[in-house]
Amino acid sequence: MASLAGGGGPEASGDRLQDWEEVNELLEAVADALLQLGAFASQLLEICKRVEADSFVEACMQLREVCKECGQQDRLIIAGKGNVGKSTIGNALLGGGKFWPTSSSCMTARICEAHYDASASGIAVSKDMVHKSATSQPKEFEEFLEQPLQVPNPSSLLKPGVILVDLPGLNQEKKYIDRLNEYLKSHPSSSVVLVYVLDVNDKICNSDHQFFVKLMSSPWTELSQKLLLVVNKCDIEVARNPLDSEEETPN
């Protein structure tokens, strides 16, 4: 540090300024790392409070689950029934454009994940990557359900390590719900923000009711108290039958 405070001409003064800028950058990086470490420690403490074990072996098994949970990436998940604009909202969150394909009819037929990659082009994903018909393409449809589509994207939204998840319409195929149940079990609610999309021009239907009920009895129970509702298509007017009821009769 003595060299930074020493004398010298304009050239030496410029060197000292550059040195201080490098020191400041280093200190900012250290401060950022400490903040992340503090957040990790808080998360770890909260999870460890839930560990209850009667034996060392049981404790080890639970601690493995703790390590697995702490290693999870944060997920911003967009859910809702078909054709309410989930993919459109996802595209808006990613910075605009048409990264996920959209259509006037239901398009997404698999769980789609966008993760951060600064070098990614961010070009639009083709429709063939997200949609297969359960009736005319049953084999491809089953393969779609087994593995989420994972695509890199350079959006700043994802830079902190967030994964943006676009779900299929929950009222389209029963197998979507079965696959969602498996997805719920794979990712702890502590690393999830759940956005549920409604179409302002549609009725609240049974698939909406069923999702909320299932959420309250799933591993993501606490998310039912933190659910973010997005009412979409407020700028689109649709002719209504005045005799229509506001809600579908619950089954």
Side-chain angles (χ1 to χ4, degrees):
M1 298 297 287
S3 62
L4 296 177
E11 184 177 345
S13 177
D15 290 341
R16 288 198 300 274
L17 179 60
Q18 183 177 357
D19 289 340
W20 276 116
E21 288 176 348
E22 292 176 355
V23 170
N24 285 332
E25 289 177 4
L26 177 60
L27 290 174
E28 288 175 0
V30 170
D32 184 56
L34 288 174
L35 286 174
Q36 293 182 30
L37 181 60
F40 174 80
S42 298
Q43 181 186 13
L44 180 61
L45 180 60
E46 288 301 315
I47 296 171
C48 286
K49 287 179 181 178
R50 304 199 300 263
V51 175
E52 297 180 1
D54 297 325
S55 68
F56 178 74
V57 173
E58 185 180 348
C60 287
M61 292 176 63
Q62 292 196 38
L63 284 173
R64 287 195 191 97
E65 291 301 314
V66 168
C67 293
K68 180 180 177 182
E69 188 168 335
C70 288
Q72 290 282 349
Q73 285 186 274
D74 293 332
R75 279 172 165 73
L76 175 58
I77 298 179
I78 305 174
K81 65 183 182 182
N83 202 31
V84 294
K86 299 184 299 298
S87 298
T88 300
I89 289 173
N91 286 337
L93 291 171
L94 291 173
K98 294 188 176 181
F99 182 70
W100 297 125
T102 59
S103 172
S104 57
S105 57
C106 298
M107 172 59 62
T108 306
R110 70 191 303 185
I111 296 173
C112 298
E113 299 181 340
H115 62 86
Y116 182 71
D117 185 342
S119 62
S121 62
I123 60 173
V125 175
S126 68
K127 293 182 179 180
D128 288 341
M129 296 292 289
V130 303
H131 182 78
K132 298 293 180 186
S133 170
T135 53
S136 61
Q137 301 168 293
K139 183 178 179 181
E140 292 88 344
F141 177 78
E142 291 292 336
E143 291 174 351
F144 263 30
L145 291 180
E146 289 300 316
Q147 185 65 37
L149 174 66
Q150 299 176 330
V151 187
N153 185 284
S155 170
S156 58
L157 172 76
L158 311 176
K159 191 173 182 180
V162 174
I163 295 176
L164 180 69
V165 183
D166 185 16
L167 294 182
L170 300 178
N171 62 328
Q172 300 302 302
E173 296 283 346
K174 180 183 181 301
K175 290 185 176 180
Y176 290 161
I177 297 295
D178 296 336
R179 184 67 186 90
L180 177 60
N181 287 335
E182 296 174 12
Y183 199 75
L184 295 180
K185 295 175 183 177
S186 302
H187 306 291
S189 61
S190 59
S191 63
V192 170
V193 171
L194 184 60
V195 176
Y196 196 85
V197 183
L198 297 168
D199 185 338
V200 71
N201 296 298
D202 283 349
K203 304 169 184 176
I204 301 296
C205 66
N206 282 322
S207 62
D208 298 313
H209 289 296
Q210 289 162 5
F211 176 80
F212 299 141
V213 170
K214 184 175 291 292
L215 185 66
M216 293 175 68
S217 60
S218 75
W220 289 0
T221 302
E222 63 182 78
L223 287 181
S224 64
Q225 306 300 317
K226 306 175 184 177
L227 191 69
L228 301 179
L229 289 176
V230 173
V231 182
N232 196 24
K233 302 187 182 181
C234 295
D235 56 337
I236 301 175
E237 292 187 8
V238 176
R240 289 179 177 273
N241 185 341
L243 299 179
D244 281 351
S245 62
E246 288 301 313
E247 293 194 8
E248 180 179 2
T249 303
N251 60 22

